[in-house]
Amino acid sequence: MELRLNIEDATPDELARGLAAAEAVFARAGVTALQGAEGLFALEGWDIKGFPEDDKPTEDEDRAAAVWLEADEAAAAACCAGWPEDKIPRRQVMELINVPHTKLQAEASPDTWPERKQLYAEVVKRLEVTAGPDRQIDFDIAFVLGWVPERPTLDGVEPLSEEGDRIPFFTSDLAQVEEMASKALRDWTIEIDSDPCDAHVFDPRASDDDDELRMAAWRNFDGSLHMQKPPANPAIALTLAMMRGQSMHFE
C-alpha cells in the first residue's frame, strides 16, 4: 500500500513535505494509514446508506476516520505552505494506492479456472443491476481475476491478495478503480460520466471496428445500450467497462 497526494502543480519536494506531515499525524495517533482509510470508508458508507442506526461505524472506525481527515488537512497545509490562498485545495488530497495485478492469472491456479470462468458472466450481470456498493461483488471480482485462491464470503475473515493487500473496493472507490485502470491500460483514454453514470475505456488508436479495444459500461460507442438502466455509481461503471473488456479471456 502506498500513501499519495493529489495536489496539482505541487513539486516533488512539496509532496514529500505533505506526506511527512500526514505520516506524523498517523504516528502520533497510533493509527495506520490503512486503518484511517478503512474508517473513512465505513463512515462514508454509513452516510450513503442514510445513517441507519443499526449500521453505525464502530468507535475505532470513527476515530480512525477522524485521524485520516486530520492527516489529510495536515498534508495539504504542509505541501501548500506559502501558496496563494486560492491555489490551496479544499478537498481531500490523500489516497491509499493498492498496486494490483494487471492481468489474469488463470495459469497460476488452473484448478479454480472452471469456477472462475462460470462466475464471470454472473458478476457482470450483478454489476449491471446492483443498487450500490457491494463488498461480495468486490470479493467475487478478485476471485474471478485470480487475485485470491479461493472465493471469499462476507461471513469469513476478509482475505488479502497474493501481494498482501486488501481486496480493492471495485463497487465504491472510483479513485482506486481509476488508478487500476490507468496502470493496466497505459496510454488508453478513460472517460467517466456521473449523471447518468457511465464509463468508456478505449485505445485512441483503435478504429471503430476494434471492439476489443473499446469498452463501455452502459451506452456503447454506436449508441446502443448494454442494459436498460445506467450503473449505480461511477466506480461500478468503470469496473463494469473493465470487466466487459475481460470477456474475451472467459469465452
Side-chain angles (χ1 to χ4, degrees), residues 20 57 59 202 219 229:
E59 289 186 7
F202 58 93
R219 189 180 299 280
K229 295 182 179 180

Side-chain angles (χ1 to χ4, degrees), residues 70-203:
E70 180 185 350
D72 186 89
E73 184 176 347
C79 177
C80 304
W83 286 24
E85 190 68 22
D86 62 341
K87 294 292 185 181
I88 300 176
R90 303 302 176 189
R91 53 174 174 76
Q92 287 192 47
V93 297
M94 288 195 316
E95 61 178 344
L96 199 59
I97 297 298
N98 204 11
V99 181
H101 299 284
T102 58
K103 61 181 181 179
L104 291 174
Q105 296 187 335
E107 67 277 7
S109 49
D111 54 328
T112 65
W113 175 240
E115 183 182 0
R116 290 192 285 126
K117 183 177 179 180
Q118 181 177 359
L119 184 60
Y120 164 80
E122 177 190 324
V123 168
V124 170
K125 289 180 180 178
R126 285 159 57 202
L127 282 169
E128 291 178 345
V129 301
T130 184
D134 188 320
R135 196 62 177 142
Q136 185 60 60
I137 293 180
D138 295 341
F139 289 172
D140 288 346
I141 292 172
F143 175 66
V144 164
L145 297 181
W147 293 1
V148 290
E150 297 180 355
R151 185 180 180 185
T153 58
L154 293 174
D155 58 355
V157 176
E158 183 169 329
L160 301 178
S161 74
E162 293 181 359
E163 299 286 332
D165 297 323
R166 193 174 182 189
I167 290 175
F169 292 88
F170 294 103
T171 60
S172 59
D173 191 332
L174 176 59
Q176 192 176 45
V177 179
E178 196 167 8
E179 177 74 14
M180 289 187 286
S182 298
K183 287 179 178 292
L185 299 173
R186 190 170 300 176
D187 299 327
W188 283 40
T189 299
I190 300 172
E191 296 179 344
I192 301 169
D193 298 325
S194 57
D195 188 20
C197 293
D198 202 359
H200 294 86
V201 181
F202 58 93
D203 186 335

